Amino acid sequence: MTTEAQVIKTQLPNPAPSVPALLAAVHAGLKEIKAKDTVEIDVRGKSSVADYLVIASGTSTRHVKSIGDEVVRFAKQLGVMPLGVEGEREAEWVLVDLGDVIVHVMLPRVREFYALERLWTVGDQPPVTDDEDDVQA
């Protein structure tokens, strides 16, 4: 017995909103529902999947799910349907894929464990040389 996979049809409005407009909508949604510790990471040149990652925390699984739902609601106001939303069932980590912007909403312990900020910002800071160490001492 086989069943057909459920296909979710997504498309961007024509013309598609600019990345800054999409980021502004994401941040407005996060602020509206009181997401904690929001960080925006520019991954242009590091990943071909997206231009920006936005990472935020929620205080409980219910809050994490609500934050994800609010981000989707604000994106839809721009006419953008998410390419995917993952993790809503367990709601410890909800990912909302908006194409050029991917939003990660996590519980603080999950965020600390996976450390996405550290993963995506390695190499962004210039290395400290021995000369700089001597000056600071």
Side-chain angles (χ1 to χ4, degrees), residues 10-75:
T10 59
Q11 69 180 55
L12 291 173
N14 191 6
S18 67
V19 174
L22 187 55
L23 278 170
V26 166
H27 285 292
L30 294 171
K31 184 177 180 183
E32 178 75 20
I33 200 87
K34 296 181 175 45
K36 307 287 184 194
D37 305 320
T38 301
V39 175
E40 178 182 302
I41 303 172
D42 183 345
V43 294
R44 292 175 293 183
K46 295 179 184 179
S47 172
S48 61
V49 175
D51 291 344
Y52 290 91
L53 299 179
V54 177
I55 304 169
S57 295
T59 56
S60 66
T61 55
R62 182 172 289 189
H63 190 213
V64 168
K65 183 178 181 332
S66 296
I67 293 168
D69 291 344
E70 195 73 0
V71 168
V72 169
R73 188 173 76 80
F74 272 71

Side-chain angles (χ1 to χ4, degrees), residues 69-97:
D69 291 344
E70 195 73 0
V71 168
V72 169
R73 188 173 76 80
F74 272 71
K76 284 182 178 179
Q77 289 175 355
L78 289 178
V80 176
M81 295 296 294
L83 299 175
V85 179
E86 300 290 332
E88 288 183 301
R89 187 166 159 205
E90 294 80 18
E92 292 186 349
W93 180 351
V94 173
L95 181 143
V96 180
D97 185 349

